[in-house]
Amino acid sequence: MPLLIVAIPALLFAAWLFLEPQRLAWRRQRIAQRPFPDAWREILRLRVPYFRRLPPDLQLQLKQLIKIFLAEKAFVGCAGQEITDEIRVTIAAQACLLVLNRRDGYCYPKLRQVLVYPGAFAVEKKVSDPIGLQRVERQVLAGESWSSGQVILSWQDTLSGAASDDDGHNVVVHEFAHQLDQETGAANGAPELPGARHYANWAQVFSAEFEHLRAQADAGEPSLLDQYGASNPGEFFAVASEVFFERPGEMAQQHPALYQQLSGYYRLDPLSW
C-alpha cells in the first residue's frame, strides 16, 4: 500500500509531462484556426507597414502567431498607459516576425508579460568604470528585456519603429531578439542553435563582425549597424537583427556572412520579400 501511494502521484505526474505538450499544441491549433478579427487587420494596415511586404504564406502564418501570442501573453500598462488592441496587435505583429517558420508552434515560451510605458522610461543600473568600481547610473530607455519573462517597451518608440520599416531601428525587434538570446541564459549573442557545428560557424562570423563594429566605433567611422551594438555581444545580436529585418539588401551586400547566419537562424530571407 505505501508503495502504491507513492507510485500513483508519480504516474500521474509522468502522464501530465507526456500529455501537456499535446494539450498545448491542440490548444494553439484551435486558437490559430479562429478568424482573424477585421479590427486587428485594420491595425496591421495602419501600424505595421512591413506586413504588406510579406508573401501570402508568411502573412497567414504571422496572423496565426499573433492570435497565439495575444492569447498567451499578458500586457500591463505602466505610468498610466492604457492597454488597447492597437497596442497589443502592433507589438505582437513585430515580435512574431522573429519566430516565423518554426513548425513546432514556438511562441516565446518563457515570456509572461509585456509591460508598456507611454514613452521612454528611466531605470537605475549598476555600471562599472574602467578600473572596476561600480556605481548606480540612471538611464532612459525605449525598451528592455528581462530573462525572468518580461519585456518592457515604450509605446511611442514602438510606434515610430513600426512606421519606419527601412531605417534599421526597431525597438520591438531589438528587445525580442534579446528574449531569444536569453532563452539559453544571459544575453551573450549566442541564441539556441541546432548543434555544435552551427555554434562554431556562428561564433566565427559573429566574433569577427563584432570586432569590426568595435573598430569602426573606436575610429569614429560610419557603419550600417548601430554602434550601440559594439557595447557587448548581446547588444550586437539585437542590433544586427534590426538591420537584418529592415535593411536586408545593405546587410547582404556589406556583411554577407552575417546575413547568411541570421537568415539561417531566423529561417527567413527578407531579400525575397
Side-chain angles (χ1 to χ4, degrees):
M1 183 64 70
L3 287 176
L4 186 60
I5 293 173
V6 173
I8 289 176
L11 288 171
L12 289 173
F13 180 69
W16 179 85
L17 286 178
F18 176 75
L19 294 174
E20 179 60 16
Q22 298 178 49
R23 187 195 68 81
L24 179 62
W26 177 73
R27 178 176 177 273
R28 286 179 170 174
Q29 185 179 26
R30 285 196 330 174
I31 293 169
Q33 290 173 347
R34 294 173 186 168
F36 196 80
D38 290 339
W40 292 9
R41 199 183 311 274
E42 183 66 9
I43 292 168
L44 291 180
R45 188 185 70 82
L46 291 174
R47 296 301 190 192
V48 192
Y50 76 75
F51 180 78
R52 296 191 296 271
R53 293 194 284 111
L54 295 176
D57 62 318
L58 291 184
Q59 288 186 3
L60 176 61
Q61 193 183 143
L62 185 64
K63 288 189 289 187
Q64 292 173 338
L65 284 171
I66 290 170
K67 288 183 284 187
I68 293 170
F69 188 99
L70 295 182
E72 295 183 350
K73 315 304 179 186
F75 282 72
V76 180
C78 303
Q81 176 64 59
E82 179 185 357
I83 297 300
T84 63
D85 276 356
E86 180 185 22
I87 288 175
R88 296 169 71 244
V89 172
T90 302
I91 291 173
Q94 295 172 85
C96 292
L97 180 68
L98 280 65
V99 292
L100 289 168
N101 285 341
R102 295 176 184 251
R103 300 303 181 190
D104 53 1
Y106 177 95
C107 196
Y108 300 102
K110 295 185 178 180
L111 177 69
R112 296 182 294 106
Q113 293 179 321
V114 180
L115 283 67
V116 186
Y117 282 83
F121 52 93
V123 298
E124 292 186 347
K125 288 192 171 186
K126 289 183 179 179
V127 296
S128 299
D129 62 21
I131 62 173
L133 294 176
Q134 284 196 335
R135 69 181 188 278
V136 175
E137 184 178 275
R138 189 171 185 270
Q139 299 180 356
V140 178
L141 304 176
E144 195 168 30
S145 173
W146 296 351
S147 58
S148 56
Q150 289 90 19
V151 166
I152 306 105
L153 295 167
S154 154
W155 175 232
Q156 180 181 354
D157 290 281
T158 295
L159 275 178
S160 61
S164 302
D165 61 345
D166 59 357
D167 63 356
H169 298 286
N170 185 300
V171 67
V172 178
V173 169
H174 186 104
E175 300 307 334
F176 277 87
H178 280 320
Q179 274 291 303
L180 295 173
D181 197 357
Q182 288 166 334
E183 287 181 356
T184 57
N188 60 4
E192 186 174 1
L193 299 172
R197 179 175 60 84
H198 292 85
Y199 277 107
N201 293 338
W202 182 277
Q204 182 180 7
V205 171
F206 268 74
S207 294
E209 293 283 358
F210 175 62
E211 292 302 327
H212 179 62
L213 184 62
R214 289 183 64 185
Q216 287 180 307
D218 290 342
E221 298 175 358
S223 58
L224 175 63
L225 277 68
D226 190 317
Q227 294 183 352
Y228 180 62
S231 306
N232 58 63
E235 294 299 345
F236 179 80
F237 170 61
V239 164
S241 295
E242 293 179 80
V243 176
F244 171 74
F245 283 105
E246 294 214 339
R247 302 177 73 175
E250 290 160 278
M251 176 178 272
Q253 184 177 26
Q254 298 181 33
H255 305 274
L258 181 60
Y259 184 87
Q260 183 179 20
Q261 287 295 317
L262 288 169
S263 182
Y265 172 70
Y266 285 116
R267 310 177 194 188
L268 295 167
D269 181 13
L271 274 176
S272 68
W273 304 344

